[in-house]
Amino acid sequence: MSIQVIDLTKGEIIAVGALTIRILEDGTNTDHRLGIVEVTLPPATPGPPQHVHREHDETFFVVAGTTTFTCGSETIQATPGMLVTVPPHTAHTFANHGNVESVLLCTVTPDRYIGYFRELATLPPGRPDPAAIGAIMSRYATDIVRPPT
């Protein structure tokens, strides 16, 4: 076993609508305990529908820009240097409502959700269909939730 290094020119790139996801660690080197992705959201980009993960934790470290996180009816403006932790069974989503690019470094534990990102890459180009996203999410112990009115 040796250490693995992914530099700025490497990583599996997935485009989903306007989002770009770069897989930095797919679990291969962590005995599937941890997956890591870099998510880039251009200005004025919505994120996924609000959802809950039943089987994994997720963290988001804001590298650049401002990302709006929504949990139920609560919103948080996360800026560079902030870490947002989402435990299982917590409704959440994120978006870039600003006019500059937002970059997030995200972990998923265990790594199983990396497969979700790879399945997103199979969707037709353009704005992804929310029903198609929901169908993929369901295969990864994730459910779309409707925000409170």
Side-chain angles (χ1 to χ4, degrees):
M1 192 107 196
S2 63
I3 64 170
Q4 301 297 314
V5 177
I6 302 293
D7 66 20
L8 291 173
T9 65
K10 296 183 180 160
E12 181 181 344
I13 305 293
I14 296 170
V16 182
L19 277 94
T20 302
I21 301 166
R22 183 166 68 115
I23 299 174
L24 302 171
E25 172 55 58
D26 67 0
T28 301
N29 300 297
T30 64
D31 199 22
H32 302 285
R33 291 181 306 270
L34 173 68
I36 303 173
V37 297
E38 176 189 75
V39 177
T40 302
L41 296 96
T45 300
Q50 194 158 182
H51 57 281
V52 296
H53 304 293
R54 295 187 312 272
E55 298 179 357
H56 74 270
D57 299 289
E58 199 167 35
T59 66
F60 301 87
F61 182 79
V62 182
V63 176
T66 298
T67 305
T68 302
F69 287 87
T70 303
C71 178
S73 59
E74 177 186 6
T75 60
I76 299 163
Q77 301 298 317
T79 56
M82 293 176 82
L83 177 72
V84 176
T85 300
V86 181
H89 308 287
T90 303
H92 66 286
T93 188
F94 57 90
N96 180 357
H97 299 300
N99 57 8
V100 297
E101 182 176 84
S102 177
V103 180
L104 306 168
L105 186 61
C106 309
T107 65
V108 291
T109 55
D111 73 326
R112 181 173 168 220
Y113 213 59
I114 298 297
Y116 162 75
F117 299 126
R118 287 180 169 144
E119 279 200 53
L120 288 178
T122 67
L123 295 175
R127 186 170 170 93
D129 173 29
I133 291 174
I136 295 171
M137 283 179 165
S138 70
R139 291 193 284 277
Y140 295 90
T142 300
D143 302 309
I144 293 177
V145 296
R146 302 292 170 228
T149 55

